[in-house]
Amino acid sequence: MCNLYRLHQSAAEVAKVFDVAAAPGLNFSAEVYPGYPGLVVEGGAARVMHWGFPLVLTGKQGQKLKPKPVTNARDDKLHTAFWRDSFVHRRCLIPVSQWAEPQGQPRQMTRSWYGLPDANLFAVAGLWRPTAEWGDCYTLVMVDSSAQMAEVHDRMPVILHRADWPRWTGGAPAEAFGLCKTWTGALIADHTDQRWAG
């Protein structure tokens, strides 16, 4: 699953492409990791949220453990209790330039970056929710991989055509669910020697 992505554009550039407002001084990094802030388009604005819904696990003695960020929501799980309310009421757009997948042998994995050949900025389907642990948080929605990257991973983000952005954020749940499809367009891949950490 995608646990690392890039956003090369500034908040102002994202706001212009997505035709939304952006407050000055939004703090996010160009490479976004689980548990860190990322840029989200929601409610007519580009906002910073925490990447990953908190999952609070219980230890052997019944104690609550440190929350773990759940960064991806599988399309076939969107109607389960963990995701349902956010899918029905709080869908958002995640601006992305590229996403990465690990490739290679354990402890020697490198980063393979994927993107679109005709766009250095595109939208991935997302969900968000307010949390007591980390404030507003978001997650990416995932579907089966396209044939172009299936050898690296069996899941990929839901990439939305621009015409479908309003349908994802404002359409009925059934209409939005119909957009959860594997990308059929071309992808570009950059298989690097950068080590995969984590």
Side-chain angles (χ1 to χ4, degrees):
M1 293 265 182
C2 173
N3 281 312
L4 171 62
Y5 70 90
R6 287 176 172 162
L7 178 58
H8 298 305
Q9 290 74 17
S10 68
E13 290 169 322
V14 169
K16 184 175 181 181
V17 170
F18 285 77
D19 193 25
V20 295
L26 295 177
N27 187 18
F28 61 96
S29 73
E31 287 194 355
V32 186
Y33 294 86
Y36 284 82
L39 200 64
V40 174
V41 174
E42 184 278 319
R47 306 173 47 202
V48 171
M49 295 186 190
H50 185 99
W51 186 20
F53 283 20
L55 177 62
V56 180
L57 302 173
T58 303
K60 291 180 181 178
Q61 283 77 41
Q63 77 278 22
K64 296 295 182 187
L65 302 176
K66 182 179 177 182
K68 171 187 173 185
V70 182
T71 56
N72 300 296
R74 291 173 55 113
D75 63 319
D76 57 344
K77 305 291 186 188
L78 292 178
H79 301 294
T80 62
F82 191 76
W83 303 112
R84 184 186 307 113
D85 190 60
S86 293
F87 173 65
V88 171
H89 300 292
R90 292 180 301 277
R91 296 185 298 271
C92 60
L93 302 173
I94 313 302
V96 173
S97 298
Q98 295 174 300
W99 78 92
E101 297 290 354
Q103 189 170 15
Q105 298 300 315
R107 294 186 296 280
Q108 298 178 3
M109 289 184 171
T110 56
R111 300 177 183 184
S112 290
W113 291 96
Y114 292 89
L116 303 185
D118 55 352
N120 58 9
L121 178 64
F122 53 93
V124 167
L127 311 175
W128 75 278
R129 76 175 189 204
T131 73
E133 293 85 357
W134 301 322
D136 290 346
C137 297
Y138 70 98
T139 190
L140 281 62
V141 179
M142 309 294 280
V143 289
D144 291 337
S145 286
S146 72
Q148 297 171 76
M149 63 166 290
E151 67 179 30
V152 174
H153 205 287
D154 63 351
R155 307 291 287 178
M156 68 180 292
V158 173
I159 301 171
L160 296 169
H161 292 280
R162 188 182 188 105
D164 291 329
W165 295 357
R167 292 174 59 208
W168 175 256
T169 56
E175 184 179 20
F177 190 71
L179 298 175
C180 295
K181 297 178 181 176
T182 300
W183 183 254
T184 58
L187 295 174
I188 53 172
D190 181 14
H191 304 291
T192 73
D193 293 327
Q194 295 173 305
R195 292 300 298 271
W196 181 271

